Amino acid sequence: MNIHEYQAKELLKSYGVRIQEGIVADSPETALKAAKKLNAETGTSWYVLKAQIHAGGRGKGKVKETGSNGVVLAKKLEEVTDKAKNILGGTLVTIQTGEEGKKVNKILVAEDVYYPGASEPKEYYLSILLDRAKGCNVIMASTEGGMDIEEVAEKTPEKIIKEWVDPKVGLQGFQARKVAFKLGLEGNAFKEMVKFITALYNAYIGSDASQFEINPVLKTSDDKILAVDAKVNIDDNALYRHKDLAELRDLAEEDPLEVEAAKSDLNYVKLDGNVGCMVNGAGLAMATMDMIKLSGGDPANFLDVGGGANATTVEAGFRIILQDPNVKAILINVFGGIVRCDRIANGVVEAYKSIGDIPVPIIVRLQGTNAEEGAKIIDESGLKVSSAITLKEAAEKVRAAIS
Ligand code: GDP
Ligand code: MN
């Protein structure tokens, strides 16, 4: 589960990670109030307005309606209201959102931390994630902060520092110092970076995160180290023990069909193809998607209805698939191991009747216990549904349906 920057920064702060302070706002008026409050609390007289969407690249991204960037600087209080107006309610398009962009419902009004001083402010990159192959957490750091890290990794991989942390042992002091040293820091900035990395690692473990990406981490002109941006991903499977974090879920940021599917306990992922599919079991679902590809189609979704599929789950699955305008045919592929094929067939027929006229052809492939009876129920239903027993037969019917 992803959370917004302002939520991520609050989480980090609660673990003692220094952040660029800010206050979230949902209207130009509250943005101005937030700026005044920040001025009183931090003394800042410049304000950074940052669109809160679940996507990066906001600084270079543009709001479709106004042309404003997704991160802008206001150099006086009088500019805050108008600049906030140009972002709030608009559609922000960044390299990560795709052309359709994302609606901005909130902005973070933050203090300016790039103020001049004894040295130039300098941006770094820092992330923590799980390295599945090594069974360790890995801290990645780079002096090339603020930029597209994928490009740095590709062109100058030597500029990415990696430090693996054994989860059983935890982060050791020398490891945090090693990273800070390799980043070329010294004096107070070095000490600050060690503190920053240590607190960040504690936050990562404490929140059961699967990814933290802080880009940029800033060394201010007076040698403070702080998080300017924060991308945090919490492991969904751990949310049951983080009720407070689970509440941060912003459904407006998620695919509406996926949200609806989750309510019916369906494992659904929206894809871009033209053949909707409904399958019991994730492995069979993957195989079915391959088969759709082989038949010349493209899967419109991944949908695993689970082991105990019945008329209710089948109907919920149908309704979700049918809301996708790209769907030209639906393939149901069920293996009757735990559940009997005749029960599934009855479920399909019932669901079909309850939804009414379904405008696209449906191919039902049932295999396993009572497969023949299941096929018979489908064929004799009088509905626009055809049965198949072998995968090959199902593939041919899909091909005929979409061509
Ligand atoms: P992203 O573009 O979505 O990754 O958003 P970031 O939070 O990383 O911000 C983008 C850029 O805004 C940063 O790389 C900075 O250059 C700039 N920025 C952020 N905070 C400040 C600030 O306090 N002062 C100034 N002058 N620039 C800032
Ligand atoms: Mn960033």
Side-chain angles (χ1 to χ4, degrees):
M1 179 188 81
N2 284 321
I3 59 178
H4 284 292
E5 176 196 1
Y6 75 93
Q7 299 166 327
K9 281 178 165 170
E10 266 170 42
L11 169 69
L12 296 187
K13 192 177 174 182
S14 74
Y15 280 89
V17 180
R18 196 198 289 267
I19 56 160
Q20 173 191 41
E21 294 291 339
I23 299 168
V24 73
D26 56 10
S27 68
E29 297 73 41
T30 49
L32 179 62
K33 255 192 216 154
K36 284 182 181 159
K37 189 152 179 255
L38 266 184
N39 170 265
E41 286 173 1
T42 69
T44 190
S45 53
W46 287 9
Y47 311 91
V48 191
L49 310 180
K50 312 181 78 179
Q52 297 298 289
I53 56 168
H54 285 190
R58 297 163 300 165
K60 293 199 177 99
K62 282 226 157 44
V63 175
K64 266 188 197 170
E65 294 81 359
T66 62
S68 164
N69 289 112
V71 176
V72 299
L73 191 61
K75 296 191 179 178
K76 39 176 157 1
L77 273 177
E78 292 72 37
E79 292 177 7
V80 171
T81 312
D82 280 347
K83 291 198 167 176
K85 259 187 210 156
N86 286 337
I87 301 176
L88 276 166
T91 317
L92 180 57
V93 180
T94 80
I95 44 163
Q96 292 185 9
T97 62
E99 271 168 49
E100 70 275 24
K102 283 202 155 177
K103 172 124 189 281
V104 184
N105 295 316
K106 289 193 169 90
I107 54 171
L108 177 62
V109 182
E111 61 174 337
D112 169 46
V113 284
Y114 289 61
Y115 45 81
S119 64
E120 279 289 304
K122 158 109 187 85
E123 295 180 329
Y124 297 86
Y125 173 93
L126 202 57
S127 65
I128 308 177
L129 49 126
L130 180 63
D131 182 335
R132 289 169 197 276
K134 283 202 159 67
C136 282
N137 295 308
V138 59
I139 298 176
M140 299 211 275
S142 178
T143 51
E144 309 306 294
M147 302 186 212
D148 182 5
I149 200 70
E150 284 79 12
E151 199 181 313
V152 179
E154 195 175 310
K155 295 195 176 140
T156 47
E158 71 282 359
K159 289 194 171 158
I160 304 214
I161 301 158
K162 289 185 182 174
E163 184 66 30
W164 283 271
V165 182
D166 185 332
K168 294 190 291 297
V169 182
L171 178 72
Q172 302 295 294
F174 79 90
Q175 294 182 295
R177 291 194 293 276
K178 198 157 108 190
V179 174
F181 178 77
K182 284 188 181 170
L183 287 172
L185 295 165
E186 41 192 39
N188 204 41
F190 175 91
K191 282 190 207 148
E192 281 260 331
M193 183 61 92
V194 171
K195 258 183 21 197
F196 186 91
I197 293 171
T198 309
L200 195 69
Y201 189 83
N202 288 339
Y204 174 85
I205 295 295
S207 60
D208 282 317
S210 48
Q211 192 191 6
F212 269 17
E213 186 178 60
I214 317 297
N215 190 21
V217 172
L218 191 75
K219 176 168 81 74
T220 61
S221 59
D222 50 357
D223 278 356
K224 288 191 190 107
I225 300 287
L226 49 82
V228 167
D229 195 2
K231 179 177 171 186
V232 161
N233 189 283
I234 308 288
D235 184 346
D236 286 313
N237 294 317
L239 282 176
Y240 74 96
R241 54 184 193 185
H242 298 284
K243 297 276 181 297
D244 50 335
L245 294 178
E247 279 170 21
L248 302 181
R249 171 159 254 146
D250 183 351
L251 293 178
E253 290 287 334
E254 299 182 13
D255 186 286
L257 290 183
E258 290 183 11
V259 172
E260 201 184 318
K263 281 187 204 146
S264 312
D265 274 328
L266 296 172
N267 222 329
Y268 172 90
V269 181
K270 165 113 179 51
L271 302 168
D272 300 326
N274 54 1
V275 181
C277 54
M278 193 177 346
V279 188
N280 65 338
L284 188 58
M286 301 300 280
T288 304
M289 288 160 63
D290 284 349
M291 198 217 75
I292 290 172
K293 277 274 190 194
L294 285 174
S295 74
D298 268 312
N301 64 274
F302 170 96
L303 174 56
D304 171 15
V305 292
N310 54 37
T312 318
T313 41
V314 170
E315 180 178 339
F318 262 142
R319 287 191 188 277
I320 286 160
I321 294 176
L322 287 169
Q323 283 181 51
D324 178 351
N326 298 331
V327 168
K328 301 274 177 296
I330 299 175
L331 171 62
I332 300 177
N333 189 11
V334 170
F335 178 74
I338 299 170
V339 63
R340 296 191 331 254
C341 293
D342 52 323
R343 276 197 56 192
I344 291 291
N346 281 323
V348 170
V349 173
E350 264 176 62
Y352 195 113
K353 286 185 178 153
S354 128
I355 295 179
D357 195 30
I358 296 181
V360 297
I362 297 169
I363 297 110
V364 185
R365 186 244 174 181
L366 299 167
Q367 185 59 282
T369 313
N370 295 354
E372 306 280 343
E373 288 91 322
K376 198 158 168 253
I377 292 167
I378 296 291
D379 291 337
E380 289 172 2
S381 67
L383 303 170
K384 256 192 296 173
V385 185
S386 60
S387 73
I389 291 193
T390 64
L391 259 184
K392 188 161 166 276
E393 203 184 337
E396 276 155 16
K397 290 194 170 177
V398 167
R399 186 187 320 233
I402 56 175
S403 54

